[in-house]
Structures are given as C-alpha cells and as structure tokens.
Amino acid sequence: MKPAIVLLEPTNLLLLSCALIYGLIGEKAEAAILLAFVLGISLLDAIQQQRSNRALAELARLSAPLAHVRRDGVDLAIAAEQLRLGDLLRLEEGDRVAADASLTETVGLWLDESLLTGESLPVAKQGGDWIRAGSLVASGRGWAEVKALAEATELGQIGRSLATVTPPPTRLQRHTRRLTSRLTLLALGLCALLAVGQGGIGGNWPQALLAALALALALLPNEIPVVLALFLALGALRLARIGVLARWPAAVESLGSATVLAVDKTGTLTENRMGVQRLITWPEQLSWQVGSALEEPFHQLLEMAVLASRGDPVDAMELAIQRLALDQLSGSEHLHPDWPLEREYPLQKNLLVFSQLWGDGRGNWQLAAKGAPEAIADLCHLDPLAAGQLIAAADRLASVGLRVLAVASGIDGVVLHDGQPASLQPEPAAGPHDYAYQPLGLIGLADPLRAEVPGAIATARGAGVRIVMITGDSPVTARSIADQAGLPPGPVVSGHQLEGLTAQALAALCPQVCVFARVMPQQKLQLVRALQASGEVVAMTGDGVNDAPALKAADIGVAMGKRGTAVARESADLVLLEDSFSALVQALAIGRRIDANLHRALGYTLAIHLPIAALSLLPLLMAGQPLILLPVHIALLHLVIDPASTVVFEALPASPALMRQPPRPPQAPLFASATWHRALAQGTLLSLGALALSFWPDISTESHRSLVFSYLLLVGGGLVWLSGDPPSRLTARGAAIGIGMWLLLLAIPADWKLLGTEPMSPGQIGLLLIVTLTALALTFLLNRSSKLKEYG
C-alpha cells in the first residue's frame, strides 16, 4: 500500500481542529501539546519513508549503467540521461541498452529482453531491427541509432502507466477509517448536544465548548493512529534486520494479511543463472547428471562446448558451461586457455549455431560448434533417421524443463567438405557450412531453483498462503519448475488462453490454477486484478520492468533489490535487498506476528478507552457535573501514555501456531466478537473504579481529577501486564510504565498546575491504591474465567 498523507487522517484532522479551538479560547499550552502530538505521528511516518527512499536511491546509483555512444565522430561514455536523439549507441556483450533505437550494424547480436517480456531466452537481432531500452546484450555486438529517450521509450511508457494504477488501502486502514468515521459522526452529534445544552442552560459557553471538546477526544479512538504508526515503524525496523526494506510502514501490516503470493519465476524462484544439469554423448547416448562424477566419455563433449563458447562469456548458458568445465576439467588437457582464436562464426537467424575456429599451437586447427539440436543436425548433414534420433533425445530433455544445446566438432580436427584439411587453406572459410562436422552430444541446462525456495514455499503453504507462479517461459518449463518448488499439481494456463477470457471468467479460474506460462507483461497486471477480484490479498514478487504495473497494483508489491530494475523497486512496497526468497517468507511471518500483536494492542486500547469515554459523558448525562478529565488529560492518555504501554505488545514473541494457521480473512472485522466482549468487560470493570473515585465524597474537583488521572495511569499499565498470554516479565513492563508515569507526576509539582490537579494526601493515595488493586484483581479473575470457557 502506498503512503497516505498522515496529516489528512480523520483523527489527526480532529486533533488539529481541537488545537485550533484551544488556541481560540486562550489555552495556548494545551494547543501546543496537541500540535506536538500530531507532528510526532507524522514525523514517525516521514522518517521511515525517508530512510527507505535513501536506500532505494543508493540501489539505483549502484545499478545505473553508462552508455557508449559516438556523437559527431567522437566516442563518449555518458550517463543514460545525457543521450540525445540521433546518437550512435555502441552495443557490446554485457551492455544494457539505454534507449529505444534502430540497429544500423550487427555482428551475431542477441538480446536478452527478459526484463521487458519475461522470456529468458535471448532473441537474435539484425540491421534495421528495433531494440528497446532495458534489454541486455547477451552476445555479439552492433551499433544503433537512438530513436526514443526517457519517457518516450517503451520502458518509459511502462513507468507512465504506473500513474494509472491505484493501489488499494490496506485492510487495517479500511477498518480503522470506517471505525473512526462512524465515531466521528457520533462524537460530533453528542458534542453539539453537550455544547448547546450546557451553554444554553449555564451561559458559560467557553466551559461548554471545553466539555464538548473533551467528549469528542474521549469518544474518538485517537490512540489508533499513534499505536499503528509505532507498530508499523518498529515492524519496518524488524524487516530491515532480515534484509527486507519496507518502503512505507503500511506495507508491514498488509504482509501479515496476504492470502496469495504471486511470484515471477525468472530471478525470483530461480537464480536467473543457468546451470548444466545433463550431458548426453552421441552416438553412444551415455548420460551424466549434475551431482555425479564426470567420467572420461563426457570430457570431449564438455571440451568442445567450451571451445564453442566465448572466453569471457556474458550469455547465461555459456557461463554455465564454463563453470562446469572449470569445476570438472581444471588442470587437465581438455582446457586450452592459450589457444589463439582464428575465426568466429556468430549465430544467424537461419542457422542457430555458434562456431569458433582455434589454432592448437602446432599448426593445426580445431573447430567447435554449439546450437539448437535441429540446427546442429543440419550443420552435420545427418540423414533423416539420425537427425530424428538426435532431435528426439533433445525433446526428452526439454520435456523435463531443460534448455537443450547440441555440440559438434570438426571431423578429424577441421576438414572441408571436399576432404581437404582446412589448415592448409590460406584463410579460414567464410562460413560454418564450408566445414564438415560430427555431432558429439547434447547439453541440458536449467535456470536452477533457488536452494531455499522449496522450504520457503512449504512454510508459506503451511501458513495457508497460496503460491501462484507467473512466467514468460514455456508451459513445460514452468510446470517442471513448479514441481521442483513444491507447488501442487494442476493445469498450466498460457497467456494465449488468457486472451479470450473476460475479467469475471478469469477471476473464477484463478482459484483453480497455480501456474501461468507464456504470460505477457500486461497480463501480469490482469492476473493480479483477477486474484483481487476473487477476494484474495495479493503479494506480487518480481524484478523486471515488465513486473512494475503488477507490483504497484498488488496489495503488497515485492521487488528484488540486486537484480531488480529501478522501475520495479520504485513500484514495490517491499524490496528484498539480498534477493532472498526465504527472507520474504520470514517477512511474512513477521507480518503475521505484527498483525496479531497489533490486534492485541487494539483490544487493550478499546478496554482502556471505555473509562475515559464514560467519564467524559458525565456532563452530558448529569447537569452540573464538573468536567473531571480535561482535553489535555485525554490527549496525554490517548497519544502518549496508552501508546507507550502498547509498545510492549509489539515485542511479544509470535505464537508457535501462527504460521500453521490461515491468514486472517480479508473481510474479517477489525475486532472479533471475542475481542469486543473481553474489551468491553475489562473496560466496564475499570470504569466502575474510575466512577467511584469521581464521586468520592468530601473532596474537591481538583482532587477528584488527581485521583482519576492517577488511577487511569496505574490501571492502564496494569492491564498491559494482565493482557499477556500468560502475564510475563515482558508485559510487566507495561505496569512499570504506568507506575513510572504516576511517580513522575508526584515528583514534579509543576505538572499539577498544568494539568489542573492538586497534590494528593496520604489518605487519598491509599484510597487510590485500594481501588486500583481491586479493579485489576477483578480484571484478572475475568480474564481467567474467559480463558477457562475458551479452552473448556
């Protein structure tokens, strides 16, 4: 949830109005106190947002690439924002395309457009093709003329589209606003009645206005914004300790309510880092699987795969091949870092094969090629039967979610089709088809699942959170990853199938499907909205530009901090600073804990609110009854003392069963019926003690005020202790806060005058302690009785 302007919350607007009225009737000190309360609430939220924005700015600075351009014949390296239309953009392996541009020259250029499309396979490009900002040069090189910049690029258009996506308020914000709005209407009606009644009868309009103001403050749940701000700010700090940045505090509360976790496969469930999983030799068809020893029959296959890759690769599949070779062949005769490269034959659209010709240092050449299995079969001029067998073996690997490359070498070193050794020619051949090849085998690669993902998904599912995987990959690959991750079996729905569905049909389909494949960027947003329409609270994870609108529309958007784009991070509510999926599930548990403790604190707030409201109603119900609690007393209780006590609840540990039960339903009320009953019963008992002290005979109004205010300090702290499950040393801190506040009041004489009270005699202190202990003892017995009924 995006940050609301805290000053415009209904309760804060009322407090500002009260401060204004205080100023008009000449009570400047009280007006200043109320203004300080409102500014303090707003400051908590602002500090948290500023901290998050600084962290995001640092992430953006570290990830900002330089663009290499030729302008007026001069080669420059400049920031992306300094590009101009018409600049010639130089593209090399590993470069991030900084603008939309038209290719003017290419040499084996392949672009990884996964951040825009979600498809992790590179795409071949040639002169005249349009390329988009945000793409990554996977292999080859080229030049392109800049045609669109900043917001005019497709990347910029995605950013602009974010402005049209309105995020929903969190569940707690909806409930608290509804409760506050209703109580505001009630308070305003009663205040008007009290002001007119007392002012008209007694003629003392300033005193009538003061009584009405006190009633308004007493009836409204002024504590809720303060308690909420404290809990969420402390929750954001807890999340930061596990590497999760909450961009605004409201996201902390939403996370505990999530019912669906919609995850992007590439870079979220997987490492976005290819790994070799299988090797199959040809024609022997011997098989090797990752984790087992690499025997001699597989050495030549891996050796040629390395020779068919660049020495300093950027492509994910070439990096995976290089890692395996360094791990398995290091120090052997199968690696040749000293061989000179004679010729490179890049990928072509009509021949998906990459070949390299090497000199072996003895005057001979070695030729290695790798590419699509059907292209290698064509390059080796296999007969239809042999080609069919090779392709069938490749299809079997693909059926389990692997990406498959075939590897070939030059026959007898390197010979031409006429049988002549190529090394005798003055120059290498112009194209790869001039040589004779033989197939050596197949390599099966996969973007490996993050090691922590299966355990994290099991924990989330155990907590009743449904996992939905959304990816641009093929249905076969998506289903394979889903099975490895521990998602339940079921159908895979493709983006093509989604196109023909209405919003209502898609909302009905979503509860039955947990894997969506070949999904286009705009369809991710469509799926998030469909899940929300089916009643889910959606947390959406992603790292690419294509994820940004969906991240913003989700109830909780979660971006990857390292691999994620700046657009994704700016659109998200939470950022995983270490790209750890398990940290997200830990954050989910913390969100649950915060949500549970927050509801416990709000139940306490309701109970302690009741005696304050009852005392403030007395002037309305009993003509001539003096005002016991002044607005400044109520403000101190609501905005400082009670919230300070409720902070104890925030530190309570989570129940062991919290992550073994479903999340709180989105439609669940703010207070469950049991919470209402317990809080009303506790509040009634505490109100009886407050009323007894208010009507104690033969003492002044100021003494009544001293007794009642001191009583509310002590029982407020004591109720925190009794509200522990069970009472503990931690909740005993609440009692310590109440006693500490009371002792501070006794120790500073200036407080009595400011608060309109007077020092208490020893007899009055004894009376206060007797009533306080009696009220707390009755409350303890009530709590015990309620628990016996609950478990009996």
Side-chain angles (χ1 to χ4, degrees), residues 134-412:
S135 301
L136 179 70
V137 180
S139 63
R141 56 188 180 275
W143 289 88
E145 183 180 351
V146 175
K147 296 292 187 181
L149 296 167
E151 291 189 357
T153 65
E154 184 172 328
L155 179 64
Q157 291 168 11
I158 292 175
R160 282 206 309 276
S161 73
L162 297 178
T164 66
V165 181
T166 303
T170 69
R171 179 185 58 83
L172 191 59
Q173 284 176 321
R174 291 194 301 269
H175 286 310
T176 54
R177 287 175 182 175
R178 188 183 305 125
L179 177 63
T180 301
S181 298
R182 290 174 180 175
L183 289 178
T184 298
L185 293 176
L186 175 64
L188 289 176
L190 291 175
C191 287
L193 184 62
L194 179 59
V196 172
Q198 280 206 350
I201 294 173
N204 188 348
W205 285 100
Q207 186 63 32
L209 188 59
L210 195 62
L213 183 59
L215 179 59
L217 285 171
L219 292 179
L220 281 179
N222 305 308
E223 308 99 314
I224 287 180
V226 185
V227 172
L228 189 58
L230 285 171
F231 263 67
L232 298 185
L234 291 171
L237 289 175
R238 291 188 185 278
L239 290 179
R241 293 190 189 112
I242 63 168
V244 179
L245 173 68
R247 295 202 58 223
W248 27 79
V252 177
E253 180 268 325
S254 292
L255 190 60
S257 308
T259 61
V260 167
L261 188 55
V263 298
D264 181 58
K265 179 190 77 68
T266 304
T268 304
L269 293 182
T270 64
E271 296 180 1
N272 200 20
R273 183 178 70 96
M274 282 290 179
V276 177
Q277 305 295 312
R278 296 282 300 278
L279 295 177
I280 294 179
T281 63
W282 203 263
E284 299 86 357
Q285 298 196 46
L286 300 176
S287 178
W288 171 87
Q289 189 164 343
V290 65
S292 58
L294 191 73
E295 303 293 343
E296 180 62 34
F298 302 97
H299 289 186
Q300 186 188 14
L301 172 59
L302 187 54
E303 174 186 7
M304 288 298 132
V306 173
L307 290 175
S309 304
R310 291 173 176 81
D312 186 17
V314 174
D315 177 75
M317 290 185 283
E318 290 190 346
L319 285 167
I321 291 169
Q322 185 184 74
R323 283 194 300 270
L324 180 63
L326 291 174
D327 182 53
Q328 298 287 343
L329 302 180
S330 183
S332 73
E333 72 279 8
H334 295 288
L335 294 183
H336 313 284
D338 55 337
W339 281 10
L341 179 64
E342 301 290 341
R343 181 78 181 250
E344 174 187 298
Y345 299 99
L347 290 167
Q348 303 169 27
K349 281 191 174 181
N350 59 353
L351 182 65
L352 298 179
V353 173
F354 180 77
S355 304
Q356 293 195 133
L357 182 65
W358 300 87
D360 65 3
R362 299 189 300 270
N364 299 316
W365 287 349
Q366 294 290 336
L367 180 65
K370 72 177 190 314
E374 59 274 16
I376 288 291
D378 176 51
L379 190 66
C380 294
H381 297 286
L382 298 181
D383 61 62
L385 177 61
Q389 291 173 338
L390 182 68
I391 293 171
D395 288 344
R396 286 193 292 273
L397 293 178
S399 68
V400 293
L402 299 181
R403 302 227 177 92
V404 185
L405 292 176
V407 179
S409 68
I411 294 177
D412 296 328

Side-chain angles (χ1 to χ4, degrees), residues 609-634:
H609 197 94
L610 194 59
I612 300 173
L615 291 169
S616 299
L617 281 170
L618 289 178
L620 181 63
L621 300 175
M622 301 175 63
Q625 173 65 28
L627 196 60
I628 299 298
L629 291 180
L630 298 174
V632 68
H633 300 138
I634 298 170

Side-chain angles (χ1 to χ4, degrees), residues 683-698:
T684 300
L685 286 176
L686 299 182
S687 297
L688 292 175
L691 291 172
L693 293 174
S694 298
F695 290 102
W696 201 262
D698 302 326

Side-chain angles (χ1 to χ4, degrees), residues 631-657:
V632 68
H633 300 138
I634 298 170
L636 280 169
L637 289 167
H638 281 187
L639 301 179
V640 177
I641 298 164
D642 292 348
S645 300
T646 57
V647 169
V648 172
F649 291 114
E650 195 279 334
L652 293 178
S655 164

